[in-house]
């Protein structure tokens, strides 16, 4: 064995192929041009490429019935959120007071609400607001939290301390009470004030997860090897640390997406979230609550759609966590 060759077992392994990348940089400095890598067989012998963490995770997810079922439900919800006309041809704002609070009828399987609007059509169109708030809020919170938490965990020092204390302040704000106070001052009927509020209070949790993952990843041997070879901070972050620290963030963000959808419905139910004429499950649940005994169908259908949506995202997050966590294999 050449003296310059260092076994991979002695340098540690990283997820997502970063360890192999750092080792390859070290070996390429001593290897002659055109020479085979150490341990390679005779010329023409096929060399099997080991699967990365992401390949193993995808392989496990495809065999997990919980992931497949929840992914199909979420895909269906996303499709009807973008094109609700595919399964609902009616107008969610069209009202006929003569049919107010009536039950199921031909062509109207979910009945009518207090203003004679088709509940089925409103349930279908309500998916757009909930999915939009959930996806946009989760994306914003994940990006902001990952950026701040990752930089704080990598550089440490006073910036890390400042971020930790700032996160503690946001953790001390009651979510529902903060939403009532913040959103009561907003008169916009769009989803963006709700998205902004959720991002404002949602990033600290993800930042702590990202910070812990980066702190753990930067202590691995393959990062130290890359640093010894002269890799700068940018290369260390983007090529070696980020691919190995992003898995916990993805898991937390996936589960948080369902939580954010439930939070939007709760704020809309209390009158501080989305406001009419926006079609929202929370608004319809709030409108139907006083009539739960006389016309339960007005509340059960939007509440059922909301529950299925939140459950699908939570189950998806659990499946992704099981696939990405090596300790659970």
């Amino acid at each position: 064995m050449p003296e310059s060759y260092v076994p991979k077992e002695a340098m540690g392994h990283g997820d997502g192929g970063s360890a192999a990348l750092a080792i390859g940089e070290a070996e390429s400095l001593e290897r002659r041009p055109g020479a085979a890598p150490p341990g390679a067989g005779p010329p023409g012998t096929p060399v099997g490429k080991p699967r990365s963490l992401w390949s193993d995770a995808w392989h496990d997810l495809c065999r997990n019935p919980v992931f497949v079922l929840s992914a199909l439900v979420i895909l269906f919800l996303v499709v009807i959120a973008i094109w609700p006309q595919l399964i609902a041809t009616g107008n969610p704002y069209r009202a006929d007071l003569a049919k107010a609070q009536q039950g199921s009828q031909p062509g109207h399987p979910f009945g009518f609400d207090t203003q004679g609007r088709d509940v089925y059509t409103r349930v279908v169109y309500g998916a757009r607001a909930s999915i939009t708030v959930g996806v946009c809020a989760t994306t914003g919170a994940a990006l902001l939290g990952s950026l701040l938490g990752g930089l704080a965990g990598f550089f440490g020092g006073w910036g890390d301390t400042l971020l930790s204390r700032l996160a503690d302040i946001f953790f001390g704000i009651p979510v529902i009470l903060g939403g009532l106070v913040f959103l009561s001052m907003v008169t916009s009927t769009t989803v963006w004030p709700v998205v902004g509020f959720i991002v404002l209070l949602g990033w600290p949790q993800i930042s702590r997860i990202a910070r812990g993952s980066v702190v753990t990843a930067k202590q691995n041997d393959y990062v130290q090897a890359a640093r010894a070879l002269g890799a700068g901070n940018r290369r260390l972050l983007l090529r070696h640390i980020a691919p190995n620290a992003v898995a916990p963030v993805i898991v937390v963000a996936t589960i948080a997406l369902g939580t954010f959808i439930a939070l939007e419905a709760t704020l809309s139910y209390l009158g501080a979230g989305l406001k009419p004429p926006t079609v929202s499950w929370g608004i319809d649940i709030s409108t139907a609550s006083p009539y739960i005994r006389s016309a339960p169908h007005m509340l059960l259908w939007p509440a059922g759609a909301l529950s299925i949506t939140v459950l699908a995202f939570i189950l998806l997050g659990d499946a992704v966590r099981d696939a990405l966590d090596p300790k659970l294999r």
Side-chain angles (χ1 to χ4, degrees), residues 28-116:
S28 62
L29 295 177
E30 300 294 339
R31 192 181 308 149
R32 295 188 306 272
T45 303
V47 179
K49 182 179 180 181
R51 291 191 303 186
S52 65
L53 171 67
W54 302 103
S55 299
D56 286 337
W58 179 250
H59 181 72
D60 293 341
L61 288 174
C62 291
R63 297 186 300 173
N64 189 342
V66 175
F67 171 80
V68 174
L69 180 60
S70 58
L72 290 177
V73 173
I74 292 172
L75 178 62
F76 172 74
L77 291 171
V78 171
V79 170
I80 67 172
I82 299 175
W83 300 290
Q85 301 86 355
L86 292 177
I87 61 174
T89 57
N91 187 340
Y93 303 105
R94 182 178 181 180
D96 186 357
L97 292 178
K99 299 180 179 179
Q101 302 185 31
Q102 293 184 9
S104 176
Q105 297 180 6
H108 306 279
F110 294 175
F112 300 88
D113 64 3
T114 56
Q115 299 183 32

Side-chain angles (χ1 to χ4, degrees), residues 5 8 30 161 185 200 228 231 246 255 277:
Y5 172 63
K8 294 182 180 180
E30 300 294 339
T161 303
M185 300 181 296
L200 184 64
V246 72
I255 298 177

Side-chain angles (χ1 to χ4, degrees), residues 173-182 197 201 262-263 266-267 270 272:
I173 300 176
V175 177
I176 301 300
L177 179 59
L180 292 175
V181 174
F182 178 81
F197 168 75
L201 292 188
L263 176 59
T266 302
L267 293 174
L270 296 175

Side-chain angles (χ1 to χ4, degrees), residues 262-321:
L263 176 59
E264 174 272 318
T266 302
L267 293 174
S268 299
Y269 176 84
L270 296 175
L274 301 180
K275 299 175 178 61
T278 304
V279 181
S280 167
W281 292 331
I283 294 176
D284 288 351
I285 293 173
S286 177
T287 303
S289 295
Y291 308 94
I292 181 61
R293 293 187 177 181
S294 60
H297 65 275
M298 296 193 310
L299 182 136
L300 294 179
W301 290 113
L306 175 64
S307 301
I308 292 174
T309 303
V310 174
L311 180 62
F313 279 105
I314 292 177
L315 291 178
L316 182 72
D318 288 340
V320 173
R321 179 199 60 194

Side-chain angles (χ1 to χ4, degrees), residues 140-183:
L143 292 177
L144 181 60
S146 300
L147 179 62
L148 296 179
L151 294 177
F154 182 78
F155 292 104
W158 64 269
D160 187 16
T161 303
L162 178 62
L163 179 69
S164 299
R165 301 294 76 81
L166 183 63
D168 291 338
I169 295 175
F170 280 95
F171 277 124
I173 300 176
V175 177
I176 301 300
L177 179 59
L180 292 175
V181 174
F182 178 81
L183 295 176

